[in-house]
Amino acid sequence: MENSPSPAVISRRRALTVAGGVLAGAALAQTAPAFGASAGTDADAIVVGGGLAGLVATAELAAAGRKVLLLDQEPESNLGGQAFWSFGGLFLVDSDEQRLMGIKDSHELAWQDWQGTAGFDRGVTDPLGQDHWARKWAEAYVDFAAGEKRSWLYGLGVRWFPIVGWAERGGGLADGHGNSVPRFHVTWGTGPAVVEPFEKKVRAAVADGKVTFKFRHRVDEVVRTGGVVTGVRGAVLEPSNAARGKASSRTVVGDFELRAPVVIVTSGGIGANHDLVRQNWPARLGTPPKSMITGVPAHVDGRMLAITEKAGGRIVNPDRMWHYTEGLRNYDPIWANHGIRILPGPSSLWFDATGKRFSAPDLPGYDTLHTLKSITDTGYDYSWFVTTQKIIAKEFALSGSEQNPDLTNKDILMLLSRIWQTPEPIERFKKNGVDFVVASTLPELVTGMNKLTGDGLINLADLKRQIDARDREIDNPYTKDVQVMGIRNALAYTGDSLSRTASIHKILDSSAGPLIAVRLNILTRKTLGGLQTDLSGRVLDAKGTPVPGLYAAGEVAGFGGGGVHGYRSLEGTFLGGCLFSGRQAGRAAAAATA
């Protein structure tokens, strides 16, 4: 673990973070061939991808007076991309909301947690190392999250639910993986409210003639002329009235070539392309699952990674990815193989497919990727929560804006109803979801579990033995059971005791019932590696040299630098990575085209 920086160094870094994009872009303008629209170009910049990072970059360019073409293969209904579907969680450090909840956070603690979680180990000090720019981005991002991130977003009208969530609680050591304190700030209005201010800015720029939307424009090539990026070419797809998230036609009705001195790629990751997921699956996570469900729409296909690589960009850390272990098959799917993630509290018992209870750190909400490896090591693609109605009523939340109508629609009365009843989306999944088994007794529950999978792997006597052993640990205020310790730790935090942790009780206490078993599927989600970029968002080639005129931001760039998260995430950092990297790339590209 490296020494924490002094306050003076932190202040200097924050100042550089604020101005980084502009300064780097200005330097580029002095040292590189002159950029800017000319009689032979269609715009000052082309942005490929209308998700959150693309909207932020476009808004920055338009604010600087640049003329921008914003391209996306999908219809206009998908503007905002995957961010629209998100829970709206943002990683903030030492925020007003944290202080209100009595949380003592700091830049030093957050940077300690980030380093312990990321585990950067691939040429950090080597300019050509895969983690060289990733770590620099991580340092800049933590500065941002502890600095102006909240005030910048607050000034744009973004607000947060006052109770801060505690995601990824870690593996058990202070300098290891995980958040030492709650940092997951749920946006009031969820993902759509994060997208909204930037969409408004871009639409205003469209009205002013600074931005032109080019929907149904699928980029197939980033064009280079004399080693310099000069635009893009590709196919025009037939018009589509597909609703947001629904698959759209891939019928080609024409082609196009558009020219600009700057191209910013913000096309997202590979989560919907299971072939690419398996192709890049690392041995450290075990054997790739034969069966997975999908946490992103079909258009999150990873196409632009290979296309940008062909134009000279370097892809690093392709084996780093983030998939969830608590996936449910959506009974009312929007896209193919649609999965929804449970955001669990700390109390459900977690068993593998054979009925063996997981040990620390494979506990609900603690260490996602360690648990993923433990599941794949069993040889099965699923696991089980065994829980109670009392637990799911207080502790279960579903990731996704559409699964949280109270927060998304800013409905205070509906939100308050969580105090006395199980949220309706949870009850609907319990009733209609194929992954739920509900029973009055444990024998009935085991019969239902074995019937659901058809594997017959759960032995009633063995499951009861493990649950009884855990339940005996509830009789005293102290315990050797790590999960019970974690529940009591959660209840010591006001936010968890108010909204995310059920009062501690025995699983087989009939008054807490009925008993519920939930089959948990592997759910694909985020790409942690990607195009390597410097702190201006300039895409680097294999020699570590910026490809002239080529930028990237968001998930396609590993949310910055080709892997700002390292091996693992602290959560709430995906939307934030789109915001920060999109802003950096947009500001630098604006300066470079001055």
Side-chain angles (χ1 to χ4, degrees):
M1 180 63 64
E2 299 183 25
N3 293 329
S4 297
S6 68
V9 172
I10 294 169
S11 297
R12 176 169 55 82
R13 285 177 180 160
R14 287 180 182 168
L16 289 173
T17 298
V18 173
V22 175
L23 292 174
L28 176 62
Q30 295 174 6
T31 60
F35 291 157
S38 66
T41 60
D42 298 293
D44 297 301
I46 294 170
V47 176
V48 182
L52 181 59
L55 288 173
V56 174
T58 300
E60 292 291 341
L61 284 158
R66 305 296 175 264
K67 182 180 178 182
V68 187
L69 300 177
L70 178 55
L71 279 59
D72 200 295
Q73 67 180 354
E74 296 306 308
E76 187 170 357
S77 58
N78 281 282
L79 194 64
Q82 179 58 22
F84 177 91
W85 297 108
S86 74
F87 196 38
L90 291 171
F91 176 92
L92 298 173
V93 178
D94 193 25
S95 69
D96 291 356
E97 290 75 19
Q98 285 176 303
R99 289 190 290 272
L100 178 66
M101 298 304 300
I103 300 164
K104 296 180 180 179
D105 200 6
S106 67
H107 177 281
E108 293 79 8
L109 185 60
W111 182 230
Q112 171 181 297
D113 287 348
W114 196 288
Q115 292 180 94
T117 294
F120 296 121
D121 61 2
R122 295 175 174 175
V124 172
T125 60
D126 178 2
L128 294 180
Q130 293 187 79
D131 278 341
H132 180 73
W133 286 102
R135 188 187 183 281
K136 289 181 180 293
W137 270 93
E139 193 170 10
Y141 182 74
V142 174
D143 289 349
F144 177 62
E148 67 167 321
K149 180 179 179 181
R150 185 187 182 282
S151 60
W152 175 58
L153 291 171
Y154 192 92
L156 293 172
V158 181
R159 301 292 184 267
W160 298 273
F161 184 59
I163 296 178
V164 183
W166 197 353
E168 285 297 298
R169 304 185 188 207
L173 294 176
D175 60 353
H177 168 60
N179 286 293
S180 297
V181 298
R183 296 193 179 101
F184 191 81
H185 296 66
V186 177
T187 301
W188 186 233
T190 66
V194 179
V195 173
E196 181 181 17
F198 303 99
E199 181 178 347
K200 282 184 176 179
K201 284 177 175 287
V202 171
R203 290 194 182 280
V206 170
D208 289 342
K210 295 177 182 177
V211 174
T212 302
F213 286 135
K214 295 282 186 180
F215 297 108
R216 306 299 284 156
H217 280 59
R218 186 189 71 197
V219 173
D220 297 324
E221 181 183 354
V222 175
V223 179
R224 294 182 72 179
T225 306
V228 176
V229 167
T230 54
V232 296
R233 63 170 64 103
V236 179
L237 306 179
E238 69 177 353
S240 171
N241 60 1
R244 183 185 292 275
K246 295 287 187 180
S248 62
S249 165
R250 289 294 179 263
T251 300
V252 174
V253 295
D255 54 32
F256 71 89
E257 180 168 351
L258 297 167
R259 295 161 295 175
V262 162
V263 172
I264 305 179
V265 179
T266 61
S267 55
I270 68 173
N273 189 332
H274 288 196
D275 290 338
L276 270 181
V277 169
R278 293 189 179 96
Q279 177 183 317
N280 290 289
W281 192 274
R284 66 179 178 276
L285 293 182
T287 303
K290 294 178 181 178
S291 174
M292 297 182 286
I293 55 178
T294 309
V296 292
H299 60 256
V300 186
D301 54 18
R303 290 182 68 256
M304 285 304 301
L305 280 162
I307 291 168
T308 311
E309 183 180 37
K310 188 176 180 181
R314 181 192 185 197
I315 296 174
V316 295
N317 301 311
D319 61 323
R320 292 181 182 169
M321 52 187 68
W322 188 259
H323 306 304
Y324 289 112
T325 51
E326 313 100 330
L328 302 174
R329 296 182 186 277
N330 195 343
Y331 66 89
D332 185 20
I334 297 171
W335 51 81
N337 200 26
H338 187 177
I340 295 292
R341 184 204 174 197
I342 297 172
L343 283 72
S347 303
S348 297
L349 298 189
W350 206 336
F351 296 89
D352 70 17
T354 69
K356 179 182 177 182
R357 187 182 173 196
F358 287 122
S359 59
D362 302 329
L363 306 173
Y366 275 73
D367 192 332
T368 294
L369 292 194
H370 192 283
T371 307
L372 177 59
K373 172 64 162 57
S374 296
I375 292 170
T376 58
D377 282 349
T378 68
Y380 296 91
D381 298 337
Y382 68 92
S383 59
W384 292 100
F385 276 167
V386 173
T387 188
T388 67
Q389 180 68 34
K390 183 175 180 178
I391 289 172
I392 75 162
K394 188 74 172 284
E395 297 192 7
F396 274 27
L398 299 175
S399 181
S401 54
E402 81 284 8
Q403 299 297 331
N404 295 274
D406 49 358
L407 289 164
T408 301
N409 298 325
K410 304 180 182 180
D411 189 326
I412 295 176
L413 289 178
M414 185 183 292
L415 180 65
L416 290 174
S417 72
R418 295 190 184 211
I419 296 173
W420 62 82
Q421 66 181 17
T422 307
E424 183 59 29
I426 299 292
E427 282 297 319
R428 285 200 297 267
F429 261 93
K430 192 180 80 172
K431 178 181 178 181
N432 302 313
V434 297
D435 297 305
F436 281 78
V437 180
V438 182
S440 300
T441 67
L442 190 61
E444 292 171 340
L445 191 76
V446 169
T447 298
M449 293 166 73
N450 285 328
K451 181 180 179 181
L452 177 60
T453 64
D455 294 333
L457 296 172
I458 307 298
N459 177 273
L460 171 60
D462 192 46
L463 191 70
K464 186 175 188 304
R465 175 189 60 78
Q466 295 174 86
I467 296 174
D468 282 340
R470 179 268 185 195
D471 280 357
R472 292 186 191 101
E473 299 290 311
I474 306 302
D475 290 333
N476 294 288
Y478 39 83
T479 180
K480 71 176 182 180
D481 190 294
V482 174
Q483 185 174 6
V484 176
M485 293 180 195
I487 296 168
R488 292 195 167 116
N489 190 35
L491 290 170
Y493 165 50
T494 303
D496 273 351
S497 63
L498 285 174
S499 68
R500 291 289 286 144
T501 306
S503 60
I504 198 162
H505 62 277
K506 295 183 178 183
I507 298 296
L508 297 183
D509 179 354
S510 60
S511 68
L515 290 168
I516 300 166
V518 188
R519 179 178 59 184
L520 305 173
N521 308 276
I522 305 301
L523 176 71
T524 64
R525 187 60 67 84
K526 295 299 180 185
T527 310
L528 299 189
L531 297 167
Q532 191 171 43
T533 59
D534 64 12
L535 286 175
S536 299
R538 297 183 296 176
V539 176
L540 306 178
D541 64 17
K543 297 180 180 179
T545 303
V547 178
L550 186 59
Y551 295 73
E555 193 173 349
V556 74
F559 300 90
V564 66
H565 299 94
Y567 287 94
R568 294 174 293 191
S569 167
L570 286 171
E571 289 284 24
T573 55
F574 300 134
L575 290 178
C578 289
L579 293 168
F580 184 55
S581 63
R583 193 177 81 154
Q584 290 289 93
R587 290 183 178 182
T593 53

